[in-house]
Amino acid sequence: MKKLTSKTNHIIVTSIVCSLALMAGTGLGIFFGMKYLKAVPNYNYSAEALEDDYQSLMNRYSKANGDYTNFKGYELANIGIYKFDETTNHYSVTDGWVKATGITQTIKGTSIRQENDYFNESISASSIVKVAKRFYQDEPNQVNLFNGSSIKNGSSATWNGTPSDVLNCEEYEDLWGKQLSRSSIYVISSKTVLDSSFSLNDEQNYVIDVELDPVLSVVRYVKQMKEMSNLERYPTFSKVHIQFILDNQLNLISRCVSEQYEVYKLGFHQSDSVINEYYYQDVEIDIPDLSTNCIYE
């Protein structure tokens, strides 16, 4: 049997090291290629340009006298949203979940308007991630952001008394997607709706189903998601479906959003979510201070 010389051993070791380096380099190339080269949808659209003329829609509504046969489902939904936003005393409560890679993230939230003061709270919690944020606008053009800690049961937190950020309303919209005076983060219009329908249920409430373009409808929402979850890049949506319930005067009662999207955070994760929101208008409710937690039933 031929004995290996030291020179031969050196050549073999060098070959193994080179092979391992090549494999590692290929693996890193695939990883960074997937991270940075995987296409992200073009969200560089003006949300305002995608929206319809809501004043014209409300003019049609004022002349309809309760006959909505000439309206499309998404138009009725927008009438409900517009009416809710115009009431000076209202609030909504959010309850939902997101599932990704076998982990369920619960979502709780409250939004309040009292005259010209606005408030929003969002608490998201799972076994590995907990995030709590509050936004206060009690001055005409200033939003204060507060972070929460010691999150309990996914529905309460201890709030830091010092704002983590102070923004004017335009800066806040640029960063987070919408102003606090706007209740809906989605763009729902003739340019973003793929399909919509409506019917009356047994309670004579309108049930409206809207299927949205998974890029154009979320140009505001992706900003909020990126900031809220500290994502490295915008998510990629494949499904956005919303079911609205409105009363016979087209006042918002509830909304259920079903979504599918992919996010990148230490790898790509396919996510499914269902978010329910319940609306209450012409109701006075105090905006909580930082020592008071919202109550979620």
Side-chain angles (χ1 to χ4, degrees):
M1 180 179 295
K2 186 175 181 180
K3 187 176 180 181
L4 294 175
T5 66
S6 59
K7 181 178 180 180
T8 306
N9 286 334
H10 177 74
I11 292 171
I12 292 173
V13 171
T14 301
S15 298
I16 293 172
V17 170
C18 289
S19 297
L20 291 173
L22 179 61
M23 291 172 64
T26 302
L28 287 172
I30 292 171
F31 172 79
F32 286 110
M34 287 184 64
K35 177 178 178 181
Y36 294 109
L37 298 181
K38 193 170 184 179
V40 177
N42 177 21
Y43 295 117
N44 190 28
Y45 293 89
S46 164
E48 290 77 12
L50 291 171
E51 292 172 340
D52 290 330
D53 182 350
Y54 292 111
Q55 195 56 59
S56 175
L57 177 63
M58 294 308 294
N59 289 339
R60 287 174 56 204
Y61 165 69
S62 66
K63 298 173 183 177
N65 296 319
D67 180 7
Y68 307 128
T69 54
N70 292 323
F71 288 80
K72 297 178 181 179
Y74 74 88
E75 292 179 317
L76 299 185
N78 275 327
I79 291 168
I81 293 168
Y82 186 92
K83 292 180 68 177
F84 181 80
D85 287 350
E86 287 297 294
T87 58
T88 56
N89 295 286
H90 64 234
Y91 73 99
S92 65
V93 179
T94 300
D95 182 17
W97 51 261
V98 178
K99 293 182 180 179
T101 58
I103 298 172
T104 299
Q105 190 94 4
T106 62
I107 296 172
K108 302 286 187 182
T110 300
S111 294
I112 301 173
R113 177 182 179 182
Q114 285 298 301
E115 301 296 334
N116 294 318
D117 294 343
Y118 297 89
F119 166 83
N120 176 266
E121 172 180 283
S122 180
I123 300 178
S124 179
S126 70
S127 57
I128 59 174
V129 176
K130 292 179 172 63
V131 179
K133 294 185 183 295
R134 276 187 173 185
F135 306 87
Y136 290 85
Q137 182 184 330
D138 51 15
E139 296 184 27
N141 193 37
Q142 180 174 301
V143 178
N144 295 321
L145 165 60
F146 296 86
N147 290 322
S149 59
S150 303
I151 299 169
K152 298 179 181 177
N153 302 318
S155 61
S156 65
T158 300
W159 298 99
N160 191 328
T162 302
S164 63
D165 208 354
V166 179
L167 305 166
N168 65 45
C169 291
E170 291 74 22
E171 291 169 337
Y172 174 73
E173 182 174 13
D174 287 342
L175 192 61
W176 289 86
K178 73 175 185 68
Q179 296 194 23
L180 290 173
S181 57
R182 178 188 289 267
S183 61
S184 178
I185 194 77
Y186 300 92
V187 179
I188 303 172
S189 74
S190 58
K191 301 178 184 68
T192 69
V193 171
L194 302 178
D195 190 27
S196 72
S197 62
F198 69 93
S199 60
L200 285 170
N201 64 14
D202 293 340
E203 289 76 33
Q204 297 301 297
N205 293 323
Y206 286 92
V207 180
I208 301 166
D209 284 283
V210 180
E211 195 76 27
L212 292 170
D213 183 286
V215 175
L216 299 180
S217 67
V218 297
V219 294
R220 294 182 185 274
Y221 187 32
V222 292
K223 295 181 180 181
Q224 183 187 87
M225 291 182 69
K226 187 172 183 289
E227 290 300 314
M228 186 67 71
S229 300
N230 195 27
L231 300 176
E232 296 182 36
R233 50 186 275 170
Y234 288 139
T236 300
F237 281 80
S238 57
K239 172 190 172 183
V240 182
H241 182 92
I242 307 179
Q243 183 176 86
F244 295 90
I245 307 293
L246 279 65
D247 68 17
N248 58 13
Q249 299 298 313
L250 300 188
N251 297 307
L252 274 175
I253 297 175
S254 66
R255 178 185 79 173
C256 179
V257 182
S258 301
E259 298 170 332
Q260 293 177 345
Y261 52 87
E262 186 178 63
V263 297
Y264 183 89
K265 190 161 188 177
L266 299 178
F268 289 98
H269 306 280
Q270 188 64 38
S271 304
D272 295 271
S273 74
V274 174
I275 309 294
N276 292 288
E277 189 162 10
Y278 305 92
Y279 300 89
Y280 308 89
Q281 56 196 60
D282 296 321
V283 177
E284 293 189 12
I285 181 172
D286 291 334
I287 291 176
D289 59 29
L290 291 171
S291 64
T292 304
N293 275 300
C294 298
I295 304 299
Y296 297 99
E297 298 179 355

